[in-house]
Structure formats: structure tokens, C-alpha cells
């Protein structure tokens, strides 16, 4: 809260409390690391620009401006461009009035938190958890509860124990498919158990799904929204097309959607009209371009994930334990003490040394809600070429003093 | 606040309080009125699509995607695209770290309100006032104080009296140039007095300026920001280029800008990258296109304002008193009781009859903060052609039973 300057004094600006500085500066510092030219970064959360459909976007933009410039450039409805909402509604098999288009799923998260949660109330999420969600929930003044997670995602039994102990969240946030940072997919039995808890204790489930279209292995269990009407589904074009258009959506029961729309109207009137129209053109191209494009993006990430894993196995051996990703952009790993040094490696400390060797990752602590995740780290295979991945892992091996 | 559904019951969604429904539904109802095809609307707040620079936008977009697609489509800095921030900083003669690019000035308003004002604290503004500002301030939980205004804008003497009585706003909101809805421009002596009060009582001044480039008469007094470092200036491309790109900005002291950026990062990460780059291309075109374009837009509004005034004088005589606009998009008028009927006309009632006659305006009540403005109405001359303006005024004359 930045108070007004106060009488007679020069403007006094105590930076305070609505948003925790930690989450914010964590993201910002990470972005800064990735920008150093000498660093091969596996730290980024960015999709690869190599997969941006530049030509298709240019053509779609030209077409929109030729065919319907007025609607693309004028103020639009707060709920979003109706044909795009209709496409989303069809995709999720819901009514169009359950769909709100937002400036990325980040905005959906923040508006939903404000619409459902009073300052001081509790929002629960997996620990480790997505930094942007933590930030949005803190901005809404929520108290966060970090629930244990494992290779299968949120430990619903841990959530159940916390609920039995009296925890009363308004909202439980999950990335049920190809979680960030862990890559985990929540199995059906956990989904069913989570929904049962939602019914019993009365909370919303927000299912954030930026990576679902990037699955190349395993299978997707029944979506949470098919199991309960307490589920809000978020989607985004950031990883399917590109982030710079800032087009995402929330699919929520109509009354909750109306509350989100009221907040969104105050927040920014509506999502960019031209961006929404361009997205709509691309995703509904009659030649099937969109599905073909998704396949290309998926294949690229799959190949890069395989390349990273091969290098890690070859160069780091058992020094780094990791889960084989079934999709998405990230690999979640744990550093073991090497037999030679027997060290207890703190990945935040390790990052400083890694930067000296010209390689970056995100230490587990950045994703901590209640837990430190001292031995964990997140590697992105999204942006680096296989050659860069190999060199990055060589630098990582040097950092870890793997002989 | 939409509470979580609660145990065992079907989702219960009491729509409540973070945002007053009045402001929201007022805007929404107005937008709906303007969409009825049989209605000639002078109610809209939209700029004319005839002035949208479609060809220039198409060319700029194609150039950006040809030259710098990666930056235009990737995630970007929360503060905004640096070359655009630099352009804004030059325009306002400030440092670049005082500039934050936002999704329209609406977002700047909402973030500033949340950054400076705790729920229950007071924000003051002219009464009648801009509906979107009222909505943003209410969404932040602020208590609103409506300060009297007249043909010269905010009655700073009224504000001084309220302050002497104990009112302690965190922030005073003004549209100092070509106000919406009244069209008024705050004279220099009132600006100086307002700044003195800000220094004495310790509040921020937010100077929202969507219409400054649309001035064709009178002269612009010294900007408020040149008189005090307690002034935050807002700008937008919505009326200079088009609203659908959602690009605006806040110019604020660096520390306050940092607080806004923290909130913005949680809110939506950053403003659309492609939109910012396209705007930057257009406003910095080396052939002077931007200034020439602004002149064209200004001339169009000027001609339409003159046409509307001529029709009002010719067809309504002294039934409607109005101020001659010096720019902008709106004319603020007051209905007098006609000699024939001697009526005390309530413009909200009048609107219902007007719609039956196929014409729409915004009744003064829509802009009321503490006052009803029962006899006032706002007419937009932005979108209607001179022929439509003439017909709209004929319908207005029928509504008012002018013989």
C-alpha cells in the first residue's frame, strides 16, 4: 500500500503490503538471470520463439484488419469477443456465458482470487507451486497453505488431513496436467478425492492448464470439470500460440463468471480486441492449421526434453534424480550428494556457482510455499537447442564437480 | 465477494460487495442501448471507427512481425516495452522509470487506486464524474467523495471546504483537460489551488487525460504535473489511435511506479507485446504521420461538434442549455422546462421516452457521485455523421415536444 505523501513532507512512499515482495522479486530476478548473454539458461519459463507462428499470425492479422477492422480496433465486451468465447465453450462443452476472456490466465487467477476470497482467507495449492499463482493470491490478500505434492501431483491425503485439522480454504489451486514446476499429472483417483473434499468442505477448485496441449506421453485423466461443478478451468494461448497477445480465459459457473466480469470491467474494461480476433482466426482456421501447429510445438518440446534427459543421464549420472516429463516445458530434479563429496547441496547456493559456470536453473526455493525444496531445481527444455542443452549440462556437471 | 460454495449445498454465489453493481450495470446498460439498431445513439463513449488508422496499423503490424517478431510475441517486461516507455517519458519530460504501460488508462486507474488507498479510505473526484473511474475506485474499496464542478471543472473551493471539514482523501481524481462528461478545462488558478491543497493535506492528484490531443479551441493551461510532484498523469492511445489495442500508461514518481508494477505483475504479467510495438511504430513514424493523424481526428470531431451544436440551436432553441466544447467527444447539456409544459424534466425519465423516439443520450444521473444531476445529459458527437446528428436532434425535439 503506497500511502498518499502526507502533509508538508516530501512524498513518502513506504512500499508495503498488498503484495509480498518475495514472489515478485523472485520472478524478476529470474528474468534478469536469463537475460545475461553469457549464460545458457535453463531457468526461463518462456516458450520457445522458434515455435511462434509468425507467418500465420501476420496473415491472420492482415485478414482481420481487412475484413472486420472496426470490431478489431473498437472497445469490446468485457466478457470477451463472442466468437472466441463460443470456441472456448465448445472446446470445454460448456455454455458461452461460463466463459470470460482475460489478459492471459494470470489475469483470470487474480480476478478469481479477488472474487472468491477476502483478505486473510486461505487459498491452498501444491508446494512447490507456480510462482505467478502465489503472487496473484498474495495480491488478493489471501493466506497461502502449501500442500505436499509428489510425482503424482497434489497429495490429496495431505490436503484432507489439513482440512480435518481445521484448514478452510476458499479455493484450492491445481495444475492437474503437467504441473509447473513438477511436471506431475494428477491421477483420476486423486481428482475424485479432491472433488469429494470440495463438496464436503465447500471450496472452489481452480484447474490451471497451460500445458495440456503439450502432452506427448501418458494419458490425460478425466478433467476435473467433468467431475464437479465446483471446478473453474483456466486456459491460455501463451504456450499454444505465443504469450505476447495476452489472451487466456476462465471457464466458471455463470454467476461466478459474472462476478469476474464486474471486476474485469473495473480492471481494464476488456481484453485486447485485435488480439482476440487474431486468436479466433487462427484456432478456427478451416484447413486444420491449429491442430497441425500444436503437433509441431509438441514434437519440438518432446525432442528437446529427450535431448536434455539424455545429456543429464550421460553427464550427471545419478548425481541428479529427475522425473521423466510426459509433456510441458519443465523437468523437476533433485540433487543428490555425490559419493565423492557427500555434500548436502542447497540449490539456491548451487545457482550462484552455476552462474559462474555460465548456466542457470531455478532453485526449488523459488517455488516454495511452506517448504524450502532445498535439494530441488527446475530445468526448462523449452527454449534451448539440443546443442545448447548439451553445453548447459556440461556446465552443470562442472558446477556439481562431476568428474 | 463470491464466497466458496459452502459444504453440502449447491454452489451458493451471493454477488457482493467488492464492486458496486450500480456503476457496472450503468455502463453495461448504456452499451446495450447503443447496440439497438433502430436507435440513433448520442449515448456512446466510443471514438469513431471512421478515424481508426486501419491501413497504418496493418502496415505497422506487418513491419513489426517482419522485423522483430520474437519480442512482439514473447512475454515482456511488466513495466512495458522500453522504447514505448521512452517515447512517453520524452513526451512528458520525465525519466523512463516513471512510466508504466498498462492495458488502457482504466488499468492504470485501478492499479493506482489499489496501490494508494486502503478499503474505506476516501478518493475525491468531480461530481458529475467519469463512470469508469468511479468503478475502479469502488473496486478498490474506496469511499467516494463527489466534489462540485462547474463550467470550469472541479470546484477547488468546494474541495477546500470539504478538506477544512475533515475530509482526508488519499487521492483526488481529475480530468483537467476536456473533462468527461462536462467538457470543462480546469483553469490555471484552480490547478495551482488544487496543488496547494495536495501539498497541505497530503494527497495524490491523478490527472487523467484521454482527450487532450482532441482540443480545437481554447488553450491548454500548464499541466498539473508541472506544478507538483504529487501528480500522476495518465494517458491512452484509445482516442489517438483506437481502443482495441488496450495501450495506456501511468506517469508517476518512480517509487509509486514500482508499487504499480508489483500489482500489475500479479494482475496480468504485462501489457500485450505486439500492441505496444505497433503503437510505438505508429507514434514514432519518421514521416510525421502521427501528428498528421491527430490533426485529422481533431478536425473530424470539431466538425461534428459544430454540426451538433448548430442542430441543437436550430431545433431545440433554449430548451437545451449547453456549453460549447473546446475539444473532446462530449457536450454537456441541461434541459430547461419548456414554456409550454413548464415541466421539471428528469433526464433518466426523458431517456425512456427518447428511446421510444429512437434516440439515446446518457442521463446526468449516470455520472452522479453524490448528486443526482437530474436535469443534465451528455451527448456524444464522436460517432454520428452530421446527417445522423440532425436526425437524432429531430428525434430529441419530438421527445421534448418542441413545437
Amino acid at each position: 500500500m503506497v500511502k498518499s505523501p502526507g502533509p508538508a513532507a516530501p512524498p513518502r512512499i513506504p512500499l508495503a503490503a498488498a503484495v509480498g515482495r518475495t514472489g515478485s522479486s523472485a520472478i524478476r530476478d529470474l528474468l534478469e538471470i536469463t537475460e545475461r548473454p553469457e549464460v545458457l539458461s535453463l531457468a526461463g519459463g518462456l516458450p520457445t520463439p522458434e515455435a511462434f507462428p509468425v507467418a500465420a499470425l501476420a496473415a491472420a492479422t492482415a485478414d482481420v484488419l481487412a475484413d472486420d477492422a472496426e470490431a478489431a480496433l473498437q472497445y469490446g465486451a468485457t466478457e470477451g469477443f463472442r466468437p472466441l468465447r463460443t470456441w472456448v465453450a465448445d472446446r470445454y462443452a460448456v455454455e458461452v456465458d461460463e466463459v470470460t476472456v482475460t489478459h492471459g490466465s494470470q489475469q483470470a487467477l487474480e480476478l478469481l482470487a479477488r472474487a472468491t476470497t477476502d483478505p486473510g482467507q486461505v487459498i491452498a495449492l501444491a508446494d512447490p507451486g507456480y510462482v505467478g499463482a502465489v503472487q496473484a493470491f498474495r495480491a488478493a490478500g489471501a493466506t497461502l497453505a502449501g500442500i505436499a505434492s509428489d510425482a503424482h501431483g497434489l497429495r490429496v491425503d495431505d490436503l484432507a488431513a489439513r482440512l480435518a485439522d481445521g484448514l478452510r480454504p476458499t479455493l484450492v489451486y491445481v495444475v492437474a496436467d503437467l504441473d509447473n514446476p513438477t511436471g506431475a499429472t494428477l491421477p483420476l483417483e486423486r481428482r475424485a478425492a479432491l472433488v469429494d473434499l470440495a463438496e464436503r468442505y465447500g471450496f472452489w477448485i481452480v484447474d490451471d492448464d497451460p500445458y495440456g496441449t503439450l502432452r506427448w506421453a501418458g494419458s490425460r485423466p478425466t478433467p476435473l470439470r467433468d467431475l464437479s461443478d465446483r471446478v473453474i478451468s483456466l486456459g491460455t494461448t501463451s504456450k499454444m500460440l505465443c504469450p505476447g497477445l495476452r489472451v487466456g480465459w476462465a471457464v466458471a459457473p455463470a454467476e461466478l463468471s459474472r462476478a469476474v466480469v464486474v471486476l474485469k470491467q473495473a480492471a481494464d474494461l476488456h481484453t485486447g480486441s485485435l488480439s482476440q480476433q487474431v486468436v479466433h482466426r487462427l484456432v478456427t482456421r478451416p484447413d486444420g492449421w491449429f491442430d497441425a501447429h500444436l503437433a509441431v510445438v509438441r514434437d519440438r518440446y518432446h525432442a528437446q526434453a529427450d535431448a536434455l534427459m539424455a545429456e543429464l543421464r550421460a553427464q550427471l549420472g545419478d548425481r541428479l534424480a529427475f522425473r521423466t516429463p510426459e509433456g510441458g516445458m519443465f523437468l523437476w530434479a533433485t540433487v543428490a550428494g555425490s559419493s565423492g563429496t557427500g555434500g548436502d547441496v542447497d540449490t539456491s547456493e548451487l545457482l550462484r556457482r552455476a552462474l559462474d559456470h555460465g548456466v542457470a536453473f531455478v532453485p526449488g526455493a523459488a517455488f516454495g510455499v511452506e517448504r524450502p525444496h532445498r535439494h530441488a531445481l527446475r530445468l526448462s527444455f523449452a527454449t534451448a537447442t539440443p546443442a545448447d542443452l548439451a553445453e548447459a549440462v556440461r556446465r552443470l556437471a562442472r558446477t556439481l564437480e562431476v568428474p
Side-chain angles (χ1 to χ4, degrees), chain A residues 186-339:
Chain A
L186 203 64
L188 180 58
E189 52 272 32
R190 289 198 189 181
R191 295 178 189 227
L194 177 59
V195 160
D196 282 349
L197 292 175
E199 301 285 338
R200 178 160 167 206
Y201 290 97
F203 53 79
W204 296 105
I205 298 168
V206 170
D207 184 14
D208 193 5
D209 184 27
Y211 308 107
T213 57
L214 294 177
R215 173 184 293 283
W216 55 78
S219 60
R220 176 175 205 159
T222 307
L224 280 159
R225 67 180 169 277
D226 291 352
L227 304 176
S228 167
D229 58 1
R230 291 163 189 269
V231 175
I232 301 154
S233 299
L234 307 188
T236 176
T237 59
S238 290
K239 281 81 189 183
M240 296 194 282
L241 297 172
C242 64
L245 298 175
R246 310 303 305 126
V247 175
W249 50 81
V251 178
E255 281 190 84
L256 180 53
S257 292
R258 279 194 288 280
V260 167
V261 165
V262 169
L263 286 171
K264 174 154 174 78
Q265 190 171 46
D268 60 13
L269 299 182
H270 64 90
T271 300
S273 313
L274 180 58
S275 295
Q276 290 187 76
Q277 288 223 24
V278 168
V279 165
H280 177 254
R281 288 256 167 171
L282 288 174
V283 298
T284 59
R285 263 177 61 162
D287 60 0
W289 173 87
F290 184 51
D291 284 339
H293 170 71
L294 291 179
V296 168
V297 179
R298 193 163 45 232
D299 289 350
R300 169 182 282 272
Y301 286 131
H302 185 186
Q304 286 166 194
D306 283 354
L308 176 60
M309 287 191 291
E311 293 294 340
L312 291 175
R313 287 191 191 104
Q315 298 194 49
L316 296 184
D318 59 2
R319 193 66 203 283
L320 206 68
F322 59 87
R323 302 171 190 164
T324 300
E326 299 183 327
M329 292 167 35
F330 306 114
L331 183 148
W332 184 247
T334 308
V335 182
S338 77
S339 53

Side-chain angles (χ1 to χ4, degrees), chain A residues 14 38 53 68 124 134 140 162 168 201 206 235 281 283 295 322 343 385 390:
Chain A
E38 75 278 12
D68 198 9
V134 166
R162 299 282 292 270
R168 288 296 174 268
Y201 290 97
V206 170
R281 288 256 167 171
V283 298
F322 59 87
T385 62

